[in-house]
Amino acid sequence: MTQWSWRRLVPSQRTLAIVPPFVWLALFLLVPFLLVLKISFADLNFGIPPYTPLATFENETLGLSIHLTGYIRLFTDSLYLATYLNSVKMALITTVFCVLIGYPMAYYIARSSPRVRNLLMLAVILPFWTSLLLRVYAWVGLLRNDGLLNKFLLSLGIISSPLEIYRTDLAVYIGMVYAYLPFFILPLYANLVKMDLRLLEAAYDLGARPWQAFWRITIPLSRPGIIAGAMLVFIPAVGEYVIPELLGGADTLMMGRVMWNEFFNNADWPMAAAVTCVMVMLLLVPLALFQYNQVKTIEHGAKGRA
């Protein structure tokens, strides 16, 4: 075999660079999902493990037993459909508020001086140094009927009776927007800080007003950051468990709470696995849209440089 042939058999540096991430994703994402998918086609079993095996081999006979009980219940029981719709609704509303609140914050940080910018970014990242559980518990102390917020408003005479915020959907929205807001600000800031400000100067020279330059230049150029931040908020918010459990009421239906109840309270692993698999399939749609947008952005950037 010639030397040229041997070189073709040796993996390139690019191939060697992408192998570790793919191995990581296969071990810690694909394999666990396949295990959950396998359990979703099993039947409930009161034992250890709490589900029946899919394949059995007895008397020299291989048997395959696939149960669709969990999936049938998902599409026939209105409770699960309402839970899915409510989870998507709460995730969408959370994402919208993160966009409305996070965009001005990211814009202000990106346009600040480097010294002030670093301090503001530190303030955004600082909550990550504390456990999410502790931060949500802090909101419990703020929003309860005898919490700090109601005591403060009562002392000022603004309200005559405590506001019923704790254990409501409003409390869940507040907690989720607070928890996921940095996930929107960080990618959008990274996009805005790299924007060429000479484009705005050119727009002003051509007679554009500030709001026109913002709408026609800043918003379109920051669209990749908006989409990336919105996906980072929406996707984990759909399956959120901790915040609805601590701040929401008994009627706050979200997929994270349903999966927890099926896994640990009802010990119905096949049903919980079916709920999980359907939720993952639903999340593949925004993930595909996000990937499509990223590819389009890269292609557009390549054409612009050419």
Side-chain angles (χ1 to χ4, degrees):
M1 186 176 291
T2 63
Q3 183 179 3
W4 176 80
S5 300
W6 277 109
R7 287 180 179 178
R8 294 191 64 181
L9 293 177
V10 176
S12 63
Q13 294 181 353
R14 180 180 179 183
T15 303
L16 293 175
I18 64 176
V19 166
F22 275 97
V23 172
W24 178 274
L25 291 174
L27 289 177
F28 298 102
L29 181 63
L30 181 60
V31 173
F33 176 73
L34 292 178
L35 292 175
V36 174
L37 182 64
K38 165 183 169 291
I39 295 173
S40 70
F41 290 111
D43 194 17
L44 180 62
N45 178 41
F46 294 98
I48 300 177
Y51 55 88
T52 58
L54 293 185
T56 56
F57 186 76
E58 296 180 358
N59 300 325
E60 300 181 355
T61 302
L62 178 63
L64 185 63
S65 179
I66 297 179
H67 299 268
L68 301 177
T69 307
Y71 292 98
I72 293 174
R73 284 178 57 191
L74 275 179
F75 294 105
T76 56
D77 192 336
S78 59
L79 173 64
Y80 295 103
L81 179 60
T83 303
Y84 277 116
L85 294 177
N86 192 64
S87 297
V88 172
K89 182 197 74 173
M90 298 192 76
L92 279 175
I93 294 176
T94 299
T95 303
V96 170
F97 275 99
C98 284
V99 172
L100 295 177
I101 299 173
Y103 196 101
M105 294 177 65
Y107 184 86
Y108 180 79
I109 296 173
R111 296 295 176 265
S112 301
S113 63
R115 182 178 179 181
V116 176
R117 185 188 306 162
N118 293 334
L119 293 176
L120 294 176
M121 285 304 300
L122 178 63
V124 173
I125 301 173
L126 197 61
F128 288 111
W129 296 2
T130 308
S131 169
L132 174 65
L133 190 62
L134 294 178
R135 287 184 278 142
V136 177
Y137 265 122
W139 278 105
V140 173
L142 287 171
L143 300 178
R144 289 174 57 179
N145 290 352
D146 57 346
L148 294 177
L149 177 62
N150 278 313
K151 288 182 178 179
F152 177 72
L153 295 177
L154 287 170
S155 64
L156 295 179
I158 298 176
I159 58 176
S160 58
S161 60
L163 297 175
E164 298 287 341
I165 301 177
Y166 182 54
R167 292 297 183 187
T168 64
D169 286 352
L170 177 59
V172 177
Y173 285 127
I174 293 173
M176 292 178 67
V177 170
Y178 163 77
Y180 289 109
L181 187 60
F183 292 95
F184 179 81
I185 293 176
L186 293 176
L188 180 58
Y189 161 79
N191 180 271
L192 289 171
V193 77
K194 294 185 297 183
M195 195 178 77
D196 191 353
L197 299 181
R198 292 177 298 179
L199 297 174
L200 297 177
E201 295 176 0
Y204 297 148
D205 292 339
L206 293 173
R209 296 183 179 181
W211 67 269
Q212 291 175 322
F214 176 79
W215 185 254
R216 295 185 178 183
I217 297 176
T218 304
I219 292 293
L221 291 178
S222 62
R223 187 177 293 117
I226 296 173
I227 296 175
M231 291 297 101
L232 289 176
V233 173
F234 176 80
I235 292 173
V238 172
E240 179 60 45
Y241 167 73
V242 174
I243 297 174
E245 180 67 21
L246 295 180
L247 298 179
D251 57 344
T252 303
L253 299 175
M254 292 198 71
M255 295 315 305
R257 298 183 72 179
V258 171
M259 285 187 285
W260 174 274
N261 291 333
E262 295 291 352
F263 266 119
F264 299 102
N265 294 342
N266 302 334
D268 192 345
W269 286 30
M271 188 64 213
V275 173
T276 304
C277 291
V278 172
M279 186 185 72
V280 171
M281 295 303 173
L282 290 176
L283 292 179
L284 286 179
V285 175
L287 282 174
L289 294 175
F290 172 68
Q291 184 64 25
Y292 175 79
N293 177 77
Q294 292 294 97
V295 172
K296 283 293 185 182
T297 302
I298 294 174
E299 292 178 352
H300 181 71
K303 290 180 180 179
R305 288 191 296 270

